């Protein structure tokens, strides 16, 4: 199996970058990723004062997917996530939802170990892990988009559902798609209110495919239980609106239901949920149970 190391990372998704690896449709690869601080916070002595901010949010890539052309859909199945043994988290003045509560400039950070499958937040609390990929996407059609920002191309969506067993569908905008991922979290709450999750290095196992029989404008996610659309916009309202409309666009011709019935069904069964509310654009998802969709013959 091809292994792609974290020797070469990108800080913006761009169609002008040289690929670091080539992958064929159907191929499974392992990819090692640095944490969002480029692994700069390792010991209690490492502080934000010395942090190289230009090195935040690295994503390993770009990876050229053979046969992926503009207008296709890149299918990425997340087979496994293997986490490092320590996480870092941070918050501070002007950061996240509570940035107003810190009177002084500067950032606070903490480290915590992962032991026997639990995150030991302190000597009182051991948290279950819910590994997820924060930054995952392809090169956008136009100008480069830095890895801190989400969008149609994916990027910094911080969607807690992008974890093991999920399949992500991304709109291909350039030859080879130029895929990259990074910014893994051992666990994160919806919203990521303090501006970080449990930031951690990792090795992910992904299987790629190229679909030519459908198009998507924004990322779509599927797991055992649900099907969801993901959208990013300047406000959570706009992002939620986009995610719901994206879902309706997909389902309109695939369920046999008249539009009004479909909307009523989605109103009864679909959940608008927050991915993150702290990045330059906000990200929301609209989640519909597969059981409901299967009843109406939906296939994807
Ligand atoms: Ca992130
Ligand atoms: Zn992160």
């Amino acid at each position: 199996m091809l292994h792609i190391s974290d020797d070469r990372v990108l800080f913006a998704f761009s169609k002008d970058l040289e690929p670091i690896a080539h992958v064929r449709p159907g191929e499974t690869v392992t990819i090692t990723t640095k944490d969002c601080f480029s692994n700069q916070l390792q010991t209690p002595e490492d502080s934000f004062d010395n942090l190289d901010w230009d090195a935040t949010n690295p994503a390993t890539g770009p990876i050229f997917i053979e046969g992926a052309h503009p207008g296709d859909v890149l299918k990425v199945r997340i087979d496994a996530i293997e986490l490092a043994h320590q996480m870092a988290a941070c918050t501070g003045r002007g950061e996240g939802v509570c940035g107003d509560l810190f009177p002084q400039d500067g950032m606070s950070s903490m480290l915590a170990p992962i032991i026997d499958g639990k995150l030991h937040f302190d000597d009182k609390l051991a948290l279950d892990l819910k590994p997820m990929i924060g930054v995952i996407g392809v090169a956008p059609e136009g100008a480069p988009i830095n890895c801190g920002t989400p969008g149609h191309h994916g990027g910094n969506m911080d969607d807690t559902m992008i974890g093991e067993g999920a399949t992500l569908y991304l709109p291909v905008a350039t030859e080879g798609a130029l895929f990259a991922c990074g910014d893994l979290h051992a666990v994160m709450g919806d919203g990521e209110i303090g501006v970080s999750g449990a930031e951690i290095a990792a090795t992910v196992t992904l299987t790629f495919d190229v679909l030519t029989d459908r198009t998507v404008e924004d990322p779509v996610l599927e797991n055992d239980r649900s099907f969801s659309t993901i959208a990013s916009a300047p406000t959570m309202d706009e992002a939620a609106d986009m995610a719901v409309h994206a879902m309706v666009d997909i389902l309109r011709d695939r369920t046999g239901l008249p539009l009004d019935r479909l909307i009523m069904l989605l109103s009864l069964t679909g959940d608008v949920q927050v991915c993150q509310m702290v990045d330059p654009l906000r990200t929301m998802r609209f989640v519909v149970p597969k059981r409901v969709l299967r009843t109406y013959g939906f296939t994807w």
Side-chain angles (χ1 to χ4, degrees):
M1 196 190 307
L2 176 65
H3 175 69
I4 299 166
S5 79
D6 63 2
D7 289 349
R8 287 171 63 195
V9 297
L10 54 85
F11 297 97
F13 288 87
S14 165
K15 58 182 191 285
D16 300 324
L17 292 174
E18 273 308 305
I20 63 167
H22 286 68
V23 170
R24 294 180 309 279
E27 193 172 349
T28 302
V29 305
T30 54
I31 303 170
T32 296
T33 61
K34 292 176 173 160
D35 71 26
C36 73
F37 310 113
S38 283
N39 302 349
Q40 293 180 90
L41 302 177
Q42 293 297 322
T43 72
E45 288 72 46
D46 296 334
S47 91
F48 264 85
D49 302 338
N50 307 321
L51 199 80
D52 175 3
W53 282 95
D54 291 337
T56 54
N57 281 316
T60 304
I63 298 165
F64 188 100
I65 315 298
E66 306 284 353
H69 305 294
D72 294 343
V73 172
L74 181 65
K75 177 181 179 183
V76 187
R77 193 180 72 217
I78 301 159
D79 300 310
I81 297 176
E82 189 190 328
L83 299 173
H85 299 294
Q86 176 175 267
M87 75 100 209
C90 70
T91 195
R93 183 174 168 83
E95 299 289 341
V97 175
C98 299
D100 59 310
L101 301 180
F102 301 101
Q104 256 146 43
D105 281 345
M107 296 288 286
S108 305
S109 62
M110 65 171 286
L111 304 173
I114 313 284
I115 303 167
D116 295 334
K118 301 261 188 193
L119 191 167
H120 291 258
F121 186 81
D122 54 24
D123 54 11
K124 290 199 175 86
L125 182 67
L127 292 168
D128 290 335
L129 305 182
K130 194 182 175 195
M132 54 164 279
I133 305 176
V135 172
I136 182 167
V138 295
E141 191 178 2
I145 298 177
N146 78 69
C147 288
T149 302
H152 300 291
H153 71 297
N156 195 11
M157 297 181 284
D158 287 319
D159 182 339
T160 54
M161 292 179 76
I162 304 179
E164 277 181 359
T167 299
L168 185 66
Y169 301 88
L170 295 162
V172 177
T174 193
E175 287 302 317
L178 300 184
F179 172 89
C181 67
D183 184 32
L184 274 279
H185 300 158
V187 64
M188 188 196 97
D190 284 343
E192 201 184 26
I193 63 108
V195 92
S196 92
E199 307 295 335
I200 194 162
T203 296
V204 297
T205 306
L206 306 179
T207 302
F208 294 95
D209 257 309
V210 177
L211 308 179
T212 56
D213 62 343
R214 71 201 76 174
T215 57
V216 293
E217 278 178 34
D218 283 286
V220 170
L221 188 106
E222 174 178 23
N223 64 22
D224 288 352
R225 300 167 307 286
S226 67
F227 189 74
S228 55
T229 44
I230 307 167
S232 302
T235 66
M236 292 164 75
D237 282 11
E238 289 165 272
D241 202 274
M242 283 169 63
V244 171
H245 278 88
M247 180 65 78
V248 173
D249 279 348
I250 290 170
L251 298 182
R252 264 191 108 137
D253 303 320
R254 289 186 171 93
T255 59
L257 289 169
L259 182 63
D260 52 356
R261 278 289 237 209
L262 174 62
I263 304 297
M264 287 187 271
L265 177 66
L266 292 177
S267 191
L268 269 57
T269 60
D271 293 322
V272 171
Q273 296 175 349
V274 183
C275 295
Q276 57 74 27
M277 53 194 293
V278 295
D279 295 332
L281 298 177
R282 311 316 200 207
T283 306
M284 305 285 283
R285 61 176 177 256
F286 186 52
V287 185
V288 182
K290 271 190 169 169
R291 186 182 66 78
V292 169
L293 297 176
R294 273 197 294 261
T295 306
Y296 296 97
F298 173 74
T299 56
W300 171 260

